[in-house]
Amino acid sequence: MELSSRLTNITGGGSDGWAVFYRARRMIDAGLTVTELTIGEHDIRTHDSILAAMNLSAMGGHTGYAEVPGTADLRDLVAARVAKRTGVPTTADNILITPGGQAGLFAAHLAACNPGDPALFIDPYYATYPGTIRAVGAEPVPVQTRPENGFQPGKAALDAAAAGAASLLINTPNNPTGAVYSRDTLTGVAEICHAHDLWLISDEVYDTQVWEGTHISPRSLPGMVERTLLVGSMSKSHAMTGSRIGWVCAPEPVITHLINLATHTTYGVPGFVQDAAAFALQQGSAFEEAVGAPFARRRALTLAALKGQNIVQPVPVQGAMYAMLDIRATGLSGEAFANGLLDAEHIAVMPGESFGKAAAGHVRVAMTIDDDAYVAALNRLVAFAASQVSQ
Ligand code: PMP
């Protein structure tokens, strides 16, 4: 018996890009102290008040099967949130609650793509994107962006790749680059979607973490509501990564079909997790700002630490919890730099190459450790970079 090629081909046979991360983990297991700046996870836990709401719900009996599309309360709250953030009328019928944004990305691609269809995504990209596309049987097609353009996708590159494609996946604010797409960029994206009749899958899981510019949801652009499948999540906005709670917001007929998908795959999300999410959403924007505040602060610390030298250049960090650093002046690849830094300084960062071709010669630093340790690590990273140039 053989396993299906759709399953065995999810990673595409290549490296998963996490070699430096795994090596750092092995060093830690061997007793070494390693500063880890790899993973996109807050250095705070889910807030006690959210956990208390979860406990109250579970102890109150919400431990049976929950409604598969999501509880009425949570769907209403998410719909109201999306309506407020996009200005587009949105009801519970436009919302499917999913076990995290990742499951939402899978569902959205299954809705948009037939087997074999080309599915576009922007390079650099969040590591799971090509695998998610392969998992639904579609063909991942990266569209390159350039550091010189702040990693904003250009209309010409999109147009050149779009013939015959079924979908385009974008992510703003962006992981790994920190780019927040401008209105011009998104207008170009919308024009390409219209011209090539594409579904737009809009990953907005970092929408509360914007440090420069404004987050614009493409769902709000003229003519886009009917072709946009918006993916959201509580992971980043409320530090609820482990609760696995997110959503897809889409036209009602799409959601009707996606409810069938949920019935035959996940069978919904635990009721007590949904109740905790509903509680969290009701805490308002001050709560969300407090969750994002450490990254806003460390973004400023990053820019300050990199001032006065020109070997390590920050790509404009406009949003999310990462700083993408251009280390091309060292002459090293991102991978060689990250490996060298791990060996010499015991600091683990992600090579840009882990996120696609467009981020070659860069490293991604997660701003996810306390401020003092973060600044100390950056200073050592800069000194390491300088030592490579003078060699
Ligand atoms: N999209 C992006 C860009 C991400 O960085 C992540 C998580 N790191 C996700 C989606 C998935 O998030 P989750 O499943 O936790 O909601």
Side-chain angles (χ1 to χ4, degrees):
M1 271 183 312
E2 281 189 16
L3 288 168
S4 79
S5 54
R6 188 183 287 184
L7 179 71
T8 56
N9 194 37
I10 284 180
T11 63
S15 129
D16 63 3
W18 289 83
V20 176
F21 170 79
Y22 293 132
R23 202 156 74 77
R25 279 290 151 97
R26 283 200 301 276
M27 287 166 72
I28 292 168
D29 289 345
L32 293 169
T33 304
V34 175
T35 306
E36 275 198 284
L37 303 171
T38 46
I39 283 210
E41 187 143 34
H42 317 68
D43 44 330
I44 53 166
R45 299 185 335 165
T46 305
H47 197 271
D48 280 352
S49 62
I50 299 177
L51 298 179
M54 198 181 292
N55 188 49
L56 197 69
S57 168
M59 296 304 280
H62 206 175
T63 52
Y65 291 124
E67 291 145 281
V68 170
T71 63
D73 268 3
L74 184 59
R75 290 175 89 199
D76 279 342
L77 282 162
V78 172
R81 179 183 181 85
V82 174
K84 192 168 165 208
R85 295 180 85 86
T86 61
V88 179
T90 308
T91 72
D93 293 330
N94 298 118
I95 305 296
L96 172 75
I97 302 301
T98 58
Q102 184 58 51
L105 288 168
F106 177 84
H109 280 95
L110 201 66
C113 300
N114 279 309
D117 279 348
L120 310 182
F121 63 105
I122 308 298
D123 181 346
Y125 52 84
Y126 172 50
T128 67
Y129 282 1
T132 303
I133 291 168
R134 285 190 206 99
V136 308
E139 183 66 36
V141 178
V143 179
Q144 308 290 317
T145 57
R146 293 160 54 83
E148 292 71 26
N149 302 331
F151 292 111
Q152 303 261 336
K155 216 177 128 183
L158 287 170
D159 197 35
S167 62
L168 165 61
L169 166 59
I170 63 167
N171 169 223
T172 179
N174 190 272
N175 173 16
T177 65
V180 172
Y181 290 179
S182 67
R183 187 167 289 279
D184 268 5
T185 295
L186 289 168
T187 302
V189 163
E191 283 169 15
I192 297 296
C193 289
H194 285 297
H196 294 275
D197 199 21
L198 305 179
W199 288 101
L200 181 64
I201 299 173
S202 179
D203 178 344
E204 302 182 28
V205 306
Y206 291 98
D207 67 347
T208 60
Q209 298 183 357
V210 179
W211 322 127
E212 195 184 300
T214 316
H215 172 66
I216 301 169
S217 170
R219 180 174 156 84
S220 67
L221 299 182
M224 287 307 287
V225 68
E226 288 311 315
R227 58 173 74 246
T228 301
L229 312 177
L230 186 164
V231 175
S233 169
M234 306 286 294
S235 285
K236 313 293 172 172
S237 57
H238 292 79
M240 291 181 71
T241 48
S243 293
R244 311 309 305 131
I245 182 113
W247 54 82
V248 177
C249 171
E252 191 180 335
V254 179
I255 295 299
T256 304
H257 287 291
L258 287 183
I259 292 170
N260 290 334
L261 173 67
T263 301
H264 296 91
T265 53
T266 59
Y267 213 79
V269 175
F272 49 90
V273 172
Q274 296 196 62
D275 289 345
F279 169 86
L281 286 179
Q282 286 169 300
Q283 302 315 297
S285 54
F287 185 94
E288 293 161 27
E289 275 159 32
V291 172
F295 309 118
R297 217 171 48 230
R298 291 170 201 154
R299 168 188 181 267
L301 293 173
T302 307
L303 300 181
L306 299 182
K307 263 213 173 109
Q309 54 84 46
N310 54 14
I311 299 167
V312 180
Q313 301 283 357
V315 169
V317 189
Q318 298 173 300
M321 45 175 83
Y322 315 95
M324 185 65 108
L325 306 180
D326 183 344
I327 50 88
R328 285 176 292 179
T330 62
L332 298 178
S333 67
E335 208 168 326
F337 186 93
N339 276 308
L341 184 68
L342 184 57
D343 288 331
E345 297 292 336
H346 294 183
I347 296 172
V349 297
M350 293 294 285
E353 291 83 359
S354 299
F355 308 101
K357 291 198 174 81
H362 291 68
V363 293
R364 189 196 74 172
V365 174
M367 303 187 284
T368 48
I369 59 172
D370 83 70
D371 296 12
D372 290 347
Y374 179 70
V375 171
L378 271 187
N379 289 337
R380 282 161 57 207
L381 181 151
V382 169
F384 171 78
S387 75
Q388 299 305 299
V389 174
S390 53
Q391 261 175 20

